[in-house]
Amino acid sequence: MLVKTKEVAPSVYGITIPTPFLVGPVNVYIIEGERLTLVDTGVKTEEAKRVLEAELLELDYRFSDIELVILTHHHPDHIGLVEEFDHATIASHEKTKPWLEGDQRFFEQKNDFFRELYTAHGVDENIVALIEKSNAYYLKYTSRIGIDVTLSEGDRIEGLPGWSVIETPGHAQSQISLYRERDGVLISGDHLIAHISSNAIIEAPYKGETERPKTLLQYRDSLKKCLHVKRAFSGHGKPVEDPKALIEERLQKQIEKAKAIKNLLGEETLTSFELCKRLYPQMYTKQPGLTLSETLGHLDLLEEMNEVKAVNENSVYRYCKVD
Ligand SMILES: [Zn+2]
Ligand SMILES: [Zn+2]
């Protein structure tokens, strides 16, 4: 009899796939439900495809056996190989759609939005160019396919009895987690990661929205929604054995980081980009998108705590302490 060593929880199997990205390998999961389900696919490279094929074979499955693919969010390390499963039902959050479908209008509006945002936050032209180059690089590793089923808060999933959807936006606007009530298991995508704090990446408004979501504030709300989880299986790294403790630590660290940013600001009035350079003097040129998201996210948090305020001078936002 085949011994399934990859079983991480009853009927759930973990597979780790290499990516060319800094984040390292990505975890995808097989759930043996009424329909054989793959949660996330790994990135679109030949190497990732080979590894996924070989690992599935160890479980005695082929790509053609997969009946349902659920994508936890739209990032390329999670959706890249989804084209290989065009025979299966593809399910994800509504906001994964424009990314997977390559919606040109969406991409144009997104680019315009970010140009304006960066100008309003005092970001240098050369850094904007770096961010655009890096975005284009990541998009190479993604797939083009339609979504058959859109998933939202509380949805039960056909073919996966006992599992339901928790919307957990923050890291990505499309981020969902899958929860199994019977044993409190969560497949969390990048919402909860044991060894790194997930970046609450700034995104443009989606269809029907007019303003950018305040992603760190959203992320904190999404963390609080998962305090009851018993065990979480992440998109990267090891399982989270004590989700409540990790969530409380993350929430606390965000407050501490926000306060450190307030101290850095001192009595000055600075743009978020000026603060970003002081916070990440080495990293801001290497990972400009992520470091700006971190800075702006924590400034949003400080504003919400009424610790700093933003003043708009000649269409540029500058932050200062609230007296
Ligand atoms: Zn991600
Ligand atoms: Zn990821």
Side-chain angles (χ1 to χ4, degrees), residues 146-271:
I147 287 179
D148 305 303
V149 176
T150 55
L151 298 173
S152 48
E153 181 71 22
D155 281 355
R156 305 265 157 196
I157 302 158
E158 208 189 314
L160 276 189
W163 291 84
S164 59
V165 174
I166 305 180
E167 286 187 357
T168 46
H171 167 69
Q173 291 307 297
S174 57
Q175 178 77 62
I176 53 167
S177 300
L178 305 177
Y179 181 63
R180 184 164 68 183
E181 204 163 332
R182 162 160 72 93
D183 54 2
V185 157
L186 188 80
I187 297 183
S188 65
D190 288 354
H191 176 53
L192 279 180
I193 301 178
H195 66 292
I196 38 172
S197 61
S198 306
N199 190 291
I201 299 170
I202 301 289
E203 289 191 44
Y206 283 72
K207 208 171 164 185
E209 299 171 347
T210 51
E211 282 178 35
R212 76 170 169 92
K214 295 194 169 173
T215 51
L216 185 64
L217 303 185
Q218 262 185 337
Y219 182 53
R220 290 171 62 77
D221 288 339
S222 294
L223 283 175
K224 290 171 196 162
K225 280 169 87 176
C226 296
L227 283 164
H228 62 292
V229 168
K230 297 273 188 297
R231 215 167 166 226
F233 295 100
S234 299
H236 303 276
K238 294 197 164 68
V240 180
E241 301 294 349
D242 187 350
K244 186 168 181 279
L246 183 80
I247 289 168
E248 283 167 353
E249 186 193 320
R250 293 274 185 268
L251 291 169
Q252 183 54 32
K253 286 268 162 65
Q254 288 156 4
I255 299 283
E256 285 167 18
K257 189 166 183 180
K259 292 202 165 148
I261 292 178
K262 188 186 172 191
N263 283 338
L264 201 62
L265 188 59
E267 299 305 318
E268 292 181 87
T269 300
L270 299 173
T271 65

Side-chain angles (χ1 to χ4, degrees), residues 73 75 77-78 171 190:
H73 64 299
H75 292 161
D77 46 335
H78 299 261
H171 167 69
D190 288 354

Side-chain angles (χ1 to χ4, degrees), residues 11-26:
S11 311
V12 181
Y13 303 85
I15 293 175
T16 303
I17 301 176
T19 80
F21 306 142
L22 265 181
V23 69
V26 63

Side-chain angles (χ1 to χ4, degrees), residues 14 23 33 39 79 89 104 114 122 128 145 158-159 166 177 194 203 210 218-219 255 276 309-310 317:
V23 69
V39 182
I79 67 171
T89 301
Q104 275 318 307
F114 274 108
V128 175
I145 200 170
E158 208 189 314
I166 305 180
S177 300
E203 289 191 44
T210 51
Q218 262 185 337
Y219 182 53
I255 299 283
C276 179
K309 62 180 177 192
Y317 287 104

